[in-house]
Amino acid sequence: MSLHEGNWPDARSRRRQGPVAPERSLRIKAFYGLLPYVSHLARQRRMRRFVQLMDIKPGTRVLDLGGSPRIWDNVEIPLDVTMLNLPGAIPSAELESIREPGTNIHSFHHIEGDACKVSQFADASFDLIFSNSVIEHVGPEDKQEEFAREVIRLGKSYWVQTPSPWFPIEAHSGLPFYWFYPERFRAWLLARSRKTLPAWWTDYIATTRILSHRRMAKLFPNARIRVEFLFGLPKSYVAHSGKNDTH
């Protein structure tokens, strides 16, 4: 989910069109059909590890950059969660559902803004900054750097996850080892896709900028970079910093 104004309109139009996968591609439809099951498994494991490593306590004040309420269903400790997204990122029906009394153990708040420039809050305003699969969508390297600086500035601790380029099936396109194709070949694939697939989908892939382990370590120099594995393969990188970290 992108949090930089330059990329968001395409993602926002994707929500308006309904299905996540383009209807005219059987391969992409099959990929996005299986993706929720794999993502659910990975998310459950990730959030269990998150609770353990970050020593999560009831009432912890969390700022979730670019997130949605659903991921917090995997945390059974009641938290105070503020979600920051660009306008239109979360459907109004989903926002209304979390505001209904007794529907969730967490206390949710939603604000609109740009995660690369969070002017609403002072330094260390939150116990924890959380981000799940967002930094690869905020824009070019300078935007990634702005995002990382805000993460470090805003929280007393943080947890930032991003997909690994080494997982055999790329998390956005469904193509095997997509980020290891020559750049010109990737450009050719996108140009070919634009002839048959919706513009929002090809733009979504084109504006994704995957991060390496080394890049994450550079952006978050005071963090531990943990590799998440799925089926024995590197699925994601997590940069986390907090009192339980050991380097």
Side-chain angles (χ1 to χ4, degrees):
M1 183 177 299
S2 171
L3 279 178
H4 175 50
E5 293 283 359
N7 295 340
W8 189 256
D10 296 316
R12 191 157 51 198
S13 64
R14 176 188 64 186
R15 289 186 178 276
R16 287 197 297 268
Q17 294 181 41
V20 173
E23 292 293 330
R24 286 170 287 178
S25 171
L26 291 177
R27 179 191 67 79
I28 297 173
K29 283 181 68 177
F31 168 68
Y32 278 98
L34 292 172
L35 185 62
Y37 301 101
V38 177
S39 296
H40 180 66
L41 173 63
R43 198 174 294 122
Q44 283 184 320
R45 295 177 57 192
R46 178 177 305 141
M47 298 309 283
R48 283 199 299 267
R49 193 63 171 156
F50 162 75
V51 170
Q52 295 169 356
L53 283 174
M54 304 307 290
D55 192 26
I56 300 299
K57 303 295 185 186
T60 297
R61 295 188 68 236
V62 179
L63 176 62
D64 183 351
L65 297 175
S68 73
R70 286 173 293 183
I71 195 167
W72 299 104
D73 292 342
N74 298 292
V75 177
E76 298 179 353
I77 300 170
L79 306 173
D80 187 317
V81 181
T82 298
M83 297 173 296
L84 185 147
N85 284 283
L86 291 176
I90 300 180
S92 57
E94 188 173 351
L95 289 175
E96 288 300 321
S97 69
I98 64 174
R99 291 174 181 142
E100 295 176 5
T103 58
N104 204 294
I105 64 169
H106 307 301
S107 175
F108 284 113
H109 318 277
H110 182 253
I111 61 173
E112 295 180 348
D114 183 348
C116 296
K117 188 177 182 181
V118 187
S119 58
Q120 298 95 320
F121 300 109
D123 296 1
S125 291
F126 293 87
D127 299 319
L128 172 72
I129 308 301
F130 180 89
S131 172
N132 187 73
S133 295
V134 172
I135 192 170
E136 69 272 17
H137 296 298
V138 300
E141 289 192 354
D142 61 328
K143 288 298 176 183
Q144 292 178 351
E145 290 162 7
E146 290 177 10
F147 180 90
R149 283 196 293 270
E150 289 294 77
V151 166
I152 296 169
R153 179 184 72 81
L154 289 163
K156 300 168 187 173
S157 61
Y158 57 82
W159 173 283
V160 178
Q161 177 272 347
T162 193
S164 166
W166 289 98
F167 195 70
I169 303 300
E170 201 277 325
H172 305 89
S173 66
L175 291 169
F177 295 107
Y178 176 76
W179 298 110
F180 295 95
Y181 300 169
E183 186 173 347
R184 295 178 73 175
F185 182 56
R186 293 204 308 269
W188 178 82
L189 286 174
L190 287 171
R192 185 168 176 265
S193 296
R194 285 191 172 95
K195 297 177 181 178
T196 57
L197 299 177
W200 65 257
W201 190 84
T202 51
D203 289 344
Y204 176 65
I205 303 301
T207 56
T208 299
R209 291 168 174 82
I210 208 74
L211 289 84
S212 66
H213 187 285
R214 180 178 296 180
R215 175 70 172 159
M216 287 290 282
K218 182 178 180 180
L219 290 173
F220 302 99
N222 62 334
R224 178 171 183 173
I225 310 300
R226 184 175 296 274
V227 182
E228 290 184 343
F229 290 90
L230 184 65
F231 309 127
L233 301 166
K235 176 70 169 61
S236 300
Y237 301 133
V238 176
H240 62 90
S241 177
K243 64 181 180 181
N244 286 352
D245 293 344
T246 56
H247 290 266

